[in-house]
Amino acid sequence: MLDTATKRRIDTARDILVGKVPDPKSQVEQITIALIYKFMDDMDAEAEELGGKRKFFTGDFARYGWAKLMSAGIGGHELIGLYGEGITTMPQNPGIPALFREIFKNAYLPYRDPETLKSFLKIIDEFSYDHSERLGDAFEYLLSVLGSQGDAGQFRTPRHIIDFIVEVMVPKKGEVILDPACGTAGFLISAYKHILRTNTDTNNNSTLTPDERGRLATNFKGYDISPDMVRLSLVNLYLHGFTDPHIFEYDSLTSEERWNEYADVILANPPFMSPKGGIKPHKLFSITTKRSEVLFLDYIIEHLTSTGRAGIIIPEGIHFVAQGGHTQLRRTLIDKGFLLADITLPHGVFKPYASVKTHILIIDRGLCRQSDSVLFIEIDNDGFSQSDTRDPIAGSQLDAALKHIESFKKSICDKQHWERPNNDLRSYAISKAVLSGGKNVHLLGRWHDLPNRVIHRKEVPLMRIDELCEIRDGLSPNMATQPGNFVMVVPAEDRKSADHWSFEGKAVCIPLVSSAGHGKADIKRIHYQEGQFALANTMCALFVKDETVIHPKYLHIFLSAMSQELLVPLMCGATNVTMNSSQLADVMIPVPKITLQEEVIESDLINTKAAAMTAAAAVLRDSSSDKDIVQLAERVIRETETLLKAAKKRINISAFLPS
C-alpha cells in the first residue's frame, strides 16, 4: 500500500518539473532516471557499511556521486553540468550492470534551470533504495500518470482492469508469462503479485522455494517497440524485486527473432492504432492484414502453448469488421477452439483519453476444446463513472463477472450445462455453431441474445419486425436538404422542414447513428410520423403491413420504451457508432390483442397530457404569490401524478413493458 509520505514526494517532484517539463511522460522519465541514480549511490553506501567497496560511482565516475550533487557548496550551474553529464555518460560506466545501462540509454537533462534541478534533487534525496513493496507501489503510482495515448496508439490500462484479467487467467508458478506489448509492465507486475499472493501458508508466509523464486524471474517476459517504455518496464520490475528483468526492445509484428518462443500465459493490451499505410508484418503470420490489432491477436494465438491461456483487450472492431483478415481471425478463434469468453467493457474505460468501445477476450486452449459454446458477459459498471474524471462509484460488476467465468469453467470441466445466472450482470452462452454461421462470423454476442431481452408474458406471441413491417431507409441529407412545406424527420427532438416528401403513411422513425457519439451507443428518441414526410438519411422508417395485427402507435410506444434493451445493442463501432436498418428485421416484438394495444395507446396519451399538466401547474405554483393559486396548482399536481401512475400501470400491464 502506498503511504502518504511517498505519494507526497512523487506529487511534489512532478509539481517541481511541470514548469520546465510539461509532458507527463517526460516527467516520469526524469523521476525514473533520478531515482535509479540515487539508488545506485545508496547501494554503494550500503556496500561500504558492510565492509565492501563501491562499484557504481568509482574511478572517473566517483565525481558524479550523490553526495557531491547534494553538497551545500555546489553552485547551480556546476550542479546542472555535473548531473547532466552524469546521466548522459552513465551508459559508459564499466561498473554498472547491463540493466542500468539500458535504463540510462539516451538519458539527458531537458532543462537548464539550476533552481528547478536543486528543488527536484532535494525531493529525490528523500527516497532511499530497498526492495520493499512500498517502493514498487510508489513507482506504480508514478506510472499511473501515463494515461494518455502514445505515438503508436498505446493506452495505459487501468490498474483494476489489469488485476481483473489476471484474476481470470490465474497465472501459476512455473508458467512462462508474456506481454508482447508490455508498456510499463503493468500486466507482468500484477501477475507476479498474484503468484506471490497465492503461494502462501496460513500465516501468510511464502511457500515458494528459492529455486521457484529464481525461475519466476526468468519466466516473466515483455516486449515493447518503444525504448522509453522498455526503460520504464525495467525499472518497474527492478523495484518489484526482479534483479534481471527480461524486457526487450522488440517489434512483435515486424521482427522474427523471437517468433519461435512460446508462453503459457499471455496478457496484453496491444496498440489499437495502425500507422498510415498500415503495418508491414513479416511473412510468418497466418493472417494477411495490415491492421495492428488483428496482427497482435494473431500473434498471441500463434504463440500460446498447446494448453496456453490469454487475456487480451481489443477494440470492438475485431468483432464485426467484414474485411478478410478480421473474418479469418474470428473463424480461427471459434472453429479452432481458442475463445472461452468475451467480456464487454464500459465505453469509458479509457477516458478521458479515448472513448473507444473495448472487449476482453479470454482464450483457453485446454478448456475451449471441451466446450461447444462461448461465454459472453456485458459489464456496465467497472467501479468508476463514465465521465472524463472516472470517479469511483459503487456497484462494480467485476467480482460478479469473475464468479460467472469460474462457474462457466467448472461446468465445462464437470461436463454439465451452464445455467444463465439470474442477476443484474448480463451473461449468456452462445453456441459455437451459431457464432460461426453467416458469411462474416461476427462475434457480437448481444446480437444473438436479443430475444432474451424482450420483456413480455408467455401467452403474448413474439413476432419479428420484418414480419410486421416494411423497413425503409431515409433518403434526405440532414444538413443539405432545402427547407420547404413538408415535414422532415431527423434524429433531433424538433423536426425540420423539406422542399420534398419521400414517404407517405404512418411510420415509426428510428435513428441509425448513435446520439451520444464518442464511441458510445445510444438512442435518445424514436419519432412517430403520419402523412407525407421526408426522412433524414441517418434514419429508417418502419411501415406496418397490417394494422389489424399491430398498431403503428403501439409499435412506437413499445420501441421507445425498449430502445436501450433491443435497439442500442445493435449499434457497433469503435468511434462512429451505427447500425444497419437490415438488423432491425430480427428484433422481436410482443404483439398482444389489438384491444390491449389500443389501451396502451390511450394510456400513453393520458400519460403525455398528464405530464404536461403537471409541468404547467408546477410553473404556476412556483411563480405565483397568490395562496389560492398555489393551493390549486398543488392540487392539480397531486391529481395528475395519480393519473400518471394509473396510466403507467395500464401501459405496463397491457403491453407487458418494464415498469
Side-chain angles (χ1 to χ4, degrees), residues 576-606:
N576 186 26
V577 182
T578 63
M579 66 175 166
N580 192 295
S581 61
S582 63
Q583 294 173 264
L584 294 170
D586 297 327
V587 173
M588 305 298 288
I589 306 294
V591 185
K593 293 178 181 180
I594 201 71
T595 53
L596 289 179
Q597 294 181 39
E598 289 170 351
E599 282 190 31
V600 172
I601 296 167
E602 180 185 354
S603 298
D604 184 65
L605 182 61
I606 294 172

Side-chain angles (χ1 to χ4, degrees), residues 259-541:
W259 183 263
N260 293 322
E261 298 179 10
Y262 297 88
D264 301 296
V265 177
I266 298 180
L267 305 162
N269 177 14
F272 296 172
M273 183 185 295
S274 296
K276 188 175 182 179
I279 301 288
K280 296 180 180 178
H282 54 70
K283 297 180 180 180
L284 296 177
F285 285 93
S286 61
I287 291 177
T288 303
T289 183
K290 293 183 178 181
R291 299 296 305 176
S292 63
E293 64 270 26
V294 177
L295 289 168
F296 264 111
L297 190 48
D298 184 41
Y299 178 94
I300 289 167
I301 291 171
E302 292 279 351
H303 288 81
L304 283 174
T305 59
S306 59
T307 57
R309 312 183 303 286
I312 317 112
I313 298 175
I314 60 166
E316 189 168 89
I318 288 284
H319 289 62
F320 65 86
V321 171
Q323 295 173 3
H326 289 73
T327 301
Q328 185 183 350
L329 179 62
R330 293 193 291 269
R331 287 202 179 279
T332 299
L333 285 168
I334 298 301
D335 297 342
K336 294 188 178 180
F338 284 98
L339 187 60
L340 179 75
D342 177 281
I343 304 167
T344 306
L345 293 174
H347 84 283
V349 163
F350 290 102
K351 278 190 171 184
Y353 310 104
S355 193
V356 61
K357 184 70 172 175
T358 54
H359 294 240
I360 302 170
L361 294 188
I362 304 300
I363 291 172
D364 190 317
R365 297 192 67 182
L367 277 179
C368 284
R369 287 193 289 266
Q370 305 172 46
S371 176
D372 61 359
S373 60
V374 174
L375 175 67
F376 289 87
I377 298 176
E378 298 177 21
I379 294 177
D380 298 315
N381 183 343
D382 67 330
F384 293 85
S385 69
Q386 296 303 296
S387 62
D388 285 351
T389 55
R390 292 285 281 157
D391 299 314
I393 59 174
S396 172
Q397 297 171 315
L398 294 180
D399 287 342
L402 186 59
K403 291 176 181 176
H404 286 206
I405 294 169
E406 289 171 350
S407 71
F408 185 69
K409 289 180 181 179
K410 188 176 186 302
S411 71
I412 296 173
C413 295
D414 295 343
K415 294 181 170 51
Q416 294 180 348
H417 175 70
W418 182 75
E419 293 292 337
R420 179 181 183 138
N422 184 21
N423 56 29
D424 292 337
L425 176 64
R426 189 184 296 277
S427 62
Y428 45 91
I430 305 293
S431 75
K432 292 178 181 178
V434 170
L435 291 172
S436 61
K439 181 181 177 182
N440 292 316
V441 198
H442 73 74
L443 272 180
L444 291 174
R446 61 182 185 264
W447 288 1
H448 298 291
D449 188 54
L450 285 180
N452 296 312
R453 305 183 185 212
V454 184
I455 299 174
H456 70 109
R457 292 183 180 176
K458 292 182 179 179
E459 65 268 22
V460 177
L462 288 175
M463 296 182 68
R464 289 160 48 102
I465 279 184
D466 65 348
E467 295 178 281
L468 298 167
C469 305
E470 290 182 11
I471 306 171
R472 302 176 68 180
D473 288 334
L475 302 173
S476 305
N478 194 338
M479 304 304 295
T481 297
Q482 294 298 313
N485 296 325
F486 298 96
V487 170
M488 178 170 167
V489 182
V490 295
E493 184 175 0
D494 296 327
R495 291 163 171 78
K496 293 184 175 181
S497 69
D499 60 355
H500 66 279
W501 62 274
S502 305
F503 303 102
E504 185 173 15
K506 302 173 183 177
V508 178
C509 304
I510 300 173
L512 299 175
V513 178
S514 171
S515 57
H518 306 295
K520 182 180 180 181
D522 190 29
I523 293 177
K524 276 192 166 49
R525 65 192 62 83
I526 296 173
H527 288 296
Y528 177 79
Q529 184 64 41
E530 293 186 0
Q532 296 174 334
F533 64 95
L535 182 65
N537 56 9
T538 55
M539 303 185 74
C540 72

Side-chain angles (χ1 to χ4, degrees), residues 61-201:
F61 286 85
R63 64 195 186 96
Y64 302 121
W66 192 259
K68 176 66 174 174
L69 298 178
M70 301 307 296
S71 171
I74 190 171
H77 292 289
E78 183 184 0
L79 177 63
I80 287 279
L82 199 61
Y83 179 71
E85 187 178 324
I87 61 176
T88 55
T89 60
M90 201 58 68
Q92 286 79 53
N93 187 340
I96 68 174
L99 167 64
F100 288 0
R101 288 197 187 93
E102 192 68 31
I103 291 170
F104 281 101
K105 186 169 69 174
N106 299 322
Y108 71 101
L109 188 63
Y111 57 90
R112 310 299 295 177
D113 178 55
E115 292 305 315
T116 297
L117 182 59
K118 276 187 177 181
S119 300
F120 173 64
L121 294 183
K122 184 177 179 181
I123 288 296
I124 297 298
D125 189 51
E126 296 181 18
F127 290 92
S128 61
Y129 174 72
D130 57 39
H131 280 299
S132 70
E133 183 76 8
R134 181 170 54 86
L135 197 51
D137 286 343
F139 197 69
E140 286 290 295
Y141 171 69
L142 176 61
L143 294 178
S144 70
V145 306
L146 293 178
S148 56
Q149 182 179 6
D151 296 335
Q154 312 109 313
F155 292 94
R156 304 284 79 76
T157 313
R159 169 57 51 191
H160 66 293
I161 299 297
I162 289 177
D163 292 341
F164 168 73
I165 294 174
V166 169
E167 288 293 317
V168 172
M169 300 316 302
V170 197
K172 299 177 178 63
K173 64 180 182 181
E175 291 186 321
V176 174
I177 299 169
L178 169 68
D179 184 344
C182 68
T184 59
F187 275 112
L188 299 179
I189 295 296
S190 180
Y192 176 65
K193 290 180 178 180
H194 176 90
I195 293 173
L196 295 182
R197 189 170 59 251
T198 54
N199 285 273
T200 56
D201 58 23

